[in-house]
Amino acid sequence: MKKRLLSGIRTSGVTHIGNVFGAINQWVQMQNDYESFAMLADLHALTTPSEAVNIEKKTLETAKLYLALGLNPKKTTIFVQSHVPQHAELSWILGTIARLGELERMTQFKDKSLGQESINLGLFAYPVLMAADILAYNADAVPVGEDQKQHVELTRNLAERFNSRYGQTFKIPEYISQKSSARIMGLDDSSKKMSKSAENPKNYIAVLDDETTIREKIKSAVTDSGSEITFSEEKKPAVSNLLTIFSLASGKSVGDLEKEFTGHGYGQFKEVLSDALVAYLSPIQEKYKNISNSEIKNVLAEGAKHAQEVAGKTLGEVKKRVGLLQI
Ligand code: TYM
């Protein structure tokens, strides 16, 4: 039997190349070997109301990007989180075994609540819903970027706690990441990750950025002191990040790129990097444009049906385990 994969993206902000290199490209590769589920996390989008404008539009847009980036609905069940009510149900049940202390330690929660006047319960419970997303499918593998590793670890802990309290129910999922692409840094500040909620659009290259925007953003990307184009995360974090992006977009190794640009300045390097990004993103954008709303809605309707069946089975089992009345 094939192993199961589940992952997802929050449908707020913009989908950027960090999401693609860190997460989606892994799902595309793995869909041949895994029974795959790719979710659009619209309930998670609600936890940051300021970013969550137009969730409906963002959800359709991100779903179309899933297809344009190579997810195949015949191999991957593509679905919207809010279309499968079992996620919220399981989240409640897992919430009864999650501890305040462990949720307070989540770095994403700390970052996102920093400076907020009031913090909503949804933001605090975000990782519990994420655990429910994963455990509702008994996923073996969760391919995500490094920023989500802590959430997957919490999921493992909750699964183990549930199993030891109520009896073997959940598989313990594995965090999967690619070393080279797990953490793409911001173009405006190489000490912070590229982020969909960045206030400055020069922080990221969005998958749907046009050629002029890509060139402008790369031109204004920060570099490091010295003029050599060499990879060293400690000494040259900004240039190393650009080299990583270049390598992922072009398929060339970082070593080959270092050789290619020996003796060249940042200006020329950035121009060729922009060419590579444009060449990488344009066919994806072309595919995206050709997917109609009705086509994607059909995919999502099929996906919801299948996801509900699978998650429904798990929830049936979970409710029995915790002792809820069955009629
Ligand atoms: P989100 O939308 O913030 O990020 C989506 C995916 O992109 C990865 N990612 C990055 N990878 C490398 N470099 C970056 N700069 C970068 N920024 C983002 C994230 O690690 C993630 O894999 N909580 C999830 C959504 C989610 C989920 C789930 C994922 C909800 N339920 C269940 C897996 C399983 C998130 O923050 O997505």
Side-chain angles (χ1 to χ4, degrees), residues 10 12 44-53 112 116 120 123:
R10 219 165 4 116
S12 56
H44 276 119
L46 285 173
T47 62
T48 43
S50 59
E51 286 173 45
V53 251
K112 285 197 182 292
Q116 301 273 353
N120 68 69
L123 189 64

Side-chain angles (χ1 to χ4, degrees), residues 6-10 16 18-19 22-23 39 41 44 108 126 130 133-134 142-148 151 181-184 193-194 196:
L6 179 128
S7 198
I9 283 201
R10 219 165 4 116
H16 53 68
N19 302 132
M39 184 185 67
H44 276 119
Q108 183 170 304
Y126 183 116
M130 182 160 158
D133 299 334
I134 297 166
V142 188
V144 283
E146 197 183 272
D147 60 331
Q148 296 302 310
H151 288 163
S181 59
R183 194 167 162 80
I184 303 295
K193 65 165 189 163
M194 186 174 283
K196 58 172 49 169

Side-chain angles (χ1 to χ4, degrees), residues 192-262:
K192 297 205 179 93
K193 65 165 189 163
M194 186 174 283
S195 164
K196 58 172 49 169
S197 48
E199 270 166 35
N200 181 1
K202 288 189 169 168
N203 165 274
Y204 53 77
I205 302 283
V207 183
L208 296 177
D209 274 347
D210 61 23
E211 175 165 355
T212 316
T213 311
I214 294 173
R215 293 192 185 280
E216 273 168 18
K217 286 184 177 178
I218 294 295
K219 213 175 200 172
S220 62
V222 294
T223 44
D224 310 291
S225 55
S227 59
E228 325 74 53
I229 292 147
T230 47
F231 190 92
S232 160
E233 274 168 351
E234 291 104 64
K235 289 190 200 133
K236 293 208 150 222
V239 171
S240 300
N241 187 43
L242 294 179
L243 275 167
T244 299
I245 293 172
F246 201 156
S247 164
L248 291 163
S250 65
K252 294 181 186 172
S253 73
V254 167
D256 283 349
L257 289 169
E258 281 178 324
K259 272 185 221 142
E260 191 177 328
F261 288 96
T262 310

Side-chain angles (χ1 to χ4, degrees), residues 151-166:
H151 288 163
V152 179
E153 275 162 7
L154 177 82
T155 304
R156 292 166 60 88
N157 291 340
L158 291 178
E160 275 164 7
R161 197 173 304 152
F162 188 99
N163 287 348
S164 71
R165 191 170 300 177
Y166 295 112

